[in-house]
Amino acid sequence: MDLSTDIWGQLAVEASQVYLSDGTVRSPFADTTIEKLPDKVILQIFSYLSHREICRLARVCRRWRQIAYDTRLWKNVSLRPEVSGLHVGSLESLLSLIAVRFGPTLRYIELPIELITHTVLHELSAKCPNLTHMLLDFSTAMQLHDFSEMQAFPTKLRYMCICLSEVIFMEGFMRKIYNFINGLEVLHLIGTYEKCEEEEEEIYEVINVHKLKSATPNLRVINLYGINFIDDSHIDAFSSNCIQLECLAVNFCNKVTGSTLKTLIQRSKRLTCLLMNGTSLKSEFVMQADWDKCALQELDITATDLSTECLIDMLTRIPNLRFLSAGQINGFNDTVLKMWMESGMPRSLVSIDLDSSDNITDDGLQKFLTRHGQQLGACCLSGMPHITDQLWMSILPVLTNAKILVMGTPEKLGVNIHVDQLMDTIASACTNLERLELRWDPDNLRFSDKSQKAIDLLRVKCLKLRCMVLSDGRYYETVKANFERADRVTVVRTTTCCRVSPYHLLSNYNDLIFN
């Protein structure tokens, strides 16, 4: 430290000190309390808190209550307590909130089934003219409220998410809102995929997609997630009416076979993102599509049964593919990678996810990543026991632009993973890293007394790192404690409650978030 700077700093401190009559030193900030902060500063502090915390603080004093009621704190509101939202005990309480607390500043609201009534929707329409995003959760419904008297609905909606029930038919409600939602740009229909039982039950088409598409001609993003009745005819219906379509996601809609893919590609000239994870795609249908004439840039075909021939045909024809998720496919092997490389089509690639692709060898991956690794922002090679730290150590120096890395498998291995060396290499090579996940079993991780130094290096070099996920164990505790000491308490998480995904690099990622 410069000596002159140190002296002047000391003099400044001494000049600011107040000496009392008994000789003791009194801090110039002794009388500064939170009560003396201006309202705008407290409002800014409150803006970082959840609505539950704001409601608790409103009980402290009259002034804080008044600040807590400021409508600027209530732009985005969730009233679903099961997903960290507020619990509202009655419709009367909600109507009061809409009138007093939400008002013209409200932009986003989530409503559970018990609060979705025509009266509430009338009030939102009348008192919240700038409401543009709405989530309606019917997933737990056994019966709907009566909407026969509904005459009004928010008219400026750009984003709407409807969580469907397994058994409640939505057509009565939808018929009432068709005239109000033609400005929608983003639509989510969320099914009950996660609640499905193994036994085959009768499948109900609880919402009429063919009528819905006629009411929403301006859709850019359509997400049909885990809906057991969605099939190729519904994809065809949307493509026939939504000429602005940029992103179509049908993840976990297992009746989708791809029979209308050719028509979709021909009609939707702006379609750049197609997500079909967990669908029942048939190779013959996929090969019929005009991939060489499409604008597609982002593709997810994870957990499908596409053949090696189909994968080669498709990947060597898509001209500008930048995002590929193709894990859990038996047909994806070294031949696919080789033919894809030789075609020159991976030239635009920025993200690749080959989770659990057991038929790809480490040699095949090394050749591919040595050639294209420098352009990648995301590289996910998880779920493959034969891909160990040895391969990662050799390719990490190439992955200089990586923002997302996922490695390891939860299966117990016959070899050990030397995690200290891995952390050193990641810290040195991937300074732009934002998300990292190591899925290896804690028993396979080997680290030494010098681990703290390696973790320090990662923390200091990778300043953009916002999420690091590890299996629960001794190494997780060590890393978590290290980051917490540096006041980065939310970075380190466990695989129990968090997973890293390359989806963060999708162009429409923010529009695709629905819960």
Side-chain angles (χ1 to χ4, degrees), residues 356-372:
S356 302
S357 297
D358 294 331
N359 293 327
I360 303 177
T361 65
D362 51 356
D363 183 56
L365 280 171
Q366 185 155 17
K367 287 178 181 177
F368 182 85
L369 293 170
T370 300
R371 182 168 175 177
H372 296 288

Side-chain angles (χ1 to χ4, degrees), residues 46-326:
F46 280 16
S47 70
Y48 291 96
L49 305 176
S50 69
H51 286 131
R52 286 184 178 181
E53 292 167 324
I54 291 173
C55 289
R56 284 196 290 268
L57 291 176
R59 302 173 185 173
V60 172
C61 62
R62 185 176 298 173
R63 181 187 176 210
W64 282 23
R65 182 180 179 84
Q66 186 176 0
I67 295 172
Y69 275 14
D70 192 303
T71 55
R72 285 171 288 184
L73 294 174
W74 299 86
K75 292 180 181 179
N76 305 295
V77 179
S78 171
L79 301 178
R80 298 191 297 162
E82 68 277 9
V83 282
S84 303
L86 287 175
H87 173 70
V88 176
S90 65
L91 287 173
E92 291 72 21
S93 300
L94 176 56
L95 294 175
S96 175
L97 285 173
I98 293 171
V100 175
R101 201 172 303 182
F102 298 167
T105 58
L106 186 68
R107 299 286 189 278
Y108 176 92
I109 191 167
E110 296 182 4
L111 294 172
I113 175 61
E114 60 271 17
L115 299 179
I116 305 173
T117 69
H118 73 273
T119 308
V120 169
L121 296 172
H122 282 181
E123 282 295 290
L124 287 172
S125 174
K127 304 288 176 58
C128 306
N130 296 310
L131 182 62
T132 57
H133 291 61
M134 176 181 281
L135 184 150
L136 303 175
D137 189 353
F138 295 96
S139 60
T140 58
M142 297 309 293
Q143 66 178 47
L144 295 183
H145 292 281
D146 181 10
F147 293 101
S148 58
E149 297 181 17
M150 190 167 78
Q151 301 298 327
F153 192 78
T155 57
K156 290 189 178 181
L157 289 183
R158 294 292 175 266
Y159 167 109
M160 186 164 72
C161 177
I162 300 177
C163 300
L164 303 176
S165 166
E166 291 180 290
V167 294
I168 299 300
F169 293 94
M170 301 288 300
E171 193 51 36
F173 169 75
M174 297 302 295
R175 197 181 302 116
K176 289 289 184 179
I177 71 171
Y178 282 145
N179 293 332
F180 301 100
I181 60 174
N182 54 20
L184 277 185
E185 296 178 8
V186 179
L187 173 67
H188 294 262
L189 297 180
I190 309 304
T192 53
Y193 166 78
E194 295 176 353
K195 299 179 183 178
C196 285
E197 299 178 359
E198 292 185 5
E199 296 180 7
E200 285 290 331
E201 296 181 358
E202 188 174 356
I203 296 174
Y204 300 102
E205 191 164 336
V206 298
I207 193 166
N208 191 322
V209 171
H210 295 277
K211 289 185 179 178
L212 176 60
K213 62 97 178 179
S214 300
T216 52
N218 298 307
L219 289 177
R220 293 185 300 104
V221 178
I222 300 173
N223 180 24
L224 311 174
Y225 181 91
I227 307 177
N228 54 12
F229 64 81
I230 289 291
D231 59 27
D232 299 276
S233 68
H234 300 108
I235 294 176
D236 187 62
F238 275 121
S239 69
S240 68
N241 195 56
C242 304
I243 60 173
Q244 311 290 336
L245 190 60
E246 299 171 6
C247 175
L248 175 65
V250 289
N251 290 341
F252 306 108
C253 296
N254 57 22
K255 283 195 170 183
V256 171
T257 65
S259 63
T260 58
L261 271 178
K262 183 174 183 177
T263 309
L264 172 69
I265 298 297
Q266 288 173 344
R267 289 173 176 167
S268 305
K269 301 299 184 184
R270 300 186 182 186
L271 186 69
T272 57
C273 179
L274 184 58
L275 309 177
M276 300 181 288
N277 185 344
T279 55
S280 302
L281 292 178
K282 294 186 182 299
S283 296
E284 57 268 29
F285 294 146
V286 173
M287 293 172 71
Q288 290 171 8
D290 299 323
W291 298 109
D292 47 343
K293 298 177 183 177
C294 71
L296 204 66
Q297 297 179 12
E298 299 163 344
L299 178 66
D300 187 351
I301 48 174
T302 302
T304 54
D305 290 327
L306 298 180
S307 66
T308 299
E309 181 189 7
C310 175
L311 291 167
I312 293 172
D313 177 77
M314 177 170 54
L315 293 179
T316 56
R317 285 200 289 148
I318 302 177
N320 297 303
L321 193 64
R322 59 181 296 276
F323 178 103
L324 176 66
S325 285

Side-chain angles (χ1 to χ4, degrees), residues 12-28:
V13 171
E14 291 178 359
S16 68
Q17 292 173 342
V18 178
Y19 290 88
L20 303 179
S21 57
D22 60 358
T24 58
V25 179
R26 186 171 183 270
S27 169

Side-chain angles (χ1 to χ4, degrees), residues 250-487:
V250 289
N251 290 341
F252 306 108
C253 296
N254 57 22
K255 283 195 170 183
V256 171
T257 65
S259 63
T260 58
L261 271 178
K262 183 174 183 177
T263 309
L264 172 69
I265 298 297
Q266 288 173 344
R267 289 173 176 167
S268 305
K269 301 299 184 184
R270 300 186 182 186
L271 186 69
T272 57
C273 179
L274 184 58
L275 309 177
M276 300 181 288
N277 185 344
T279 55
S280 302
L281 292 178
K282 294 186 182 299
S283 296
E284 57 268 29
F285 294 146
V286 173
M287 293 172 71
Q288 290 171 8
D290 299 323
W291 298 109
D292 47 343
K293 298 177 183 177
C294 71
L296 204 66
Q297 297 179 12
E298 299 163 344
L299 178 66
D300 187 351
I301 48 174
T302 302
T304 54
D305 290 327
L306 298 180
S307 66
T308 299
E309 181 189 7
C310 175
L311 291 167
I312 293 172
D313 177 77
M314 177 170 54
L315 293 179
T316 56
R317 285 200 289 148
I318 302 177
N320 297 303
L321 193 64
R322 59 181 296 276
F323 178 103
L324 176 66
S325 285
Q328 303 172 47
I329 303 178
N330 289 331
F332 207 117
N333 52 32
D334 287 0
T335 305
V336 176
L337 278 179
K338 183 175 180 240
M339 298 297 288
W340 191 24
M341 267 198 300
E342 290 177 355
S343 72
M345 292 305 182
R347 59 182 174 268
S348 304
L349 194 69
V350 297
S351 173
I352 188 163
D353 182 357
L354 298 174
D355 174 66
S356 302
S357 297
D358 294 331
N359 293 327
I360 303 177
T361 65
D362 51 356
D363 183 56
L365 280 171
Q366 185 155 17
K367 287 178 181 177
F368 182 85
L369 293 170
T370 300
R371 182 168 175 177
H372 296 288
Q374 194 167 11
Q375 69 198 56
L376 293 181
C379 182
C380 305
L381 306 178
S382 53
M384 293 181 274
H386 61 290
I387 304 300
T388 63
D389 53 334
Q390 296 302 313
L391 176 66
W392 279 104
M393 293 286 286
S394 65
I395 63 172
L396 278 169
V398 184
L399 301 174
T400 52
N401 291 307
K403 295 180 180 179
I404 300 172
L405 293 175
V406 182
M407 54 186 75
T409 175
E411 301 174 42
K412 290 207 173 182
L413 305 177
V415 296
N416 293 323
I417 306 299
H418 299 280
V419 72
D420 288 349
Q421 294 175 322
L422 197 58
M423 290 297 113
D424 277 338
T425 309
I426 292 172
S428 301
C430 309
T431 54
N432 292 317
L433 197 63
E434 296 177 7
R435 291 176 171 84
L436 171 65
E437 181 172 359
L438 275 64
R439 295 182 183 171
W440 283 297
D441 187 281
D443 291 341
N444 286 121
L445 297 181
R446 289 294 173 267
F447 52 96
S448 65
D449 295 336
K450 297 180 181 179
S451 282
Q452 289 292 350
K453 185 177 178 181
I455 300 166
D456 284 339
L457 186 64
L458 179 74
R459 179 172 47 77
V460 172
K461 290 269 193 178
C462 301
L463 294 175
K464 297 179 182 178
L465 188 64
R466 64 180 71 177
C467 179
M468 182 175 178
V469 182
L470 300 162
S471 296
D472 203 350
R474 224 162 44 93
Y475 188 69
Y476 161 76
E477 296 296 341
T478 302
V479 177
K480 185 175 177 62
N482 184 294
F483 274 77
E484 287 181 344
R485 282 196 299 271
D487 289 331

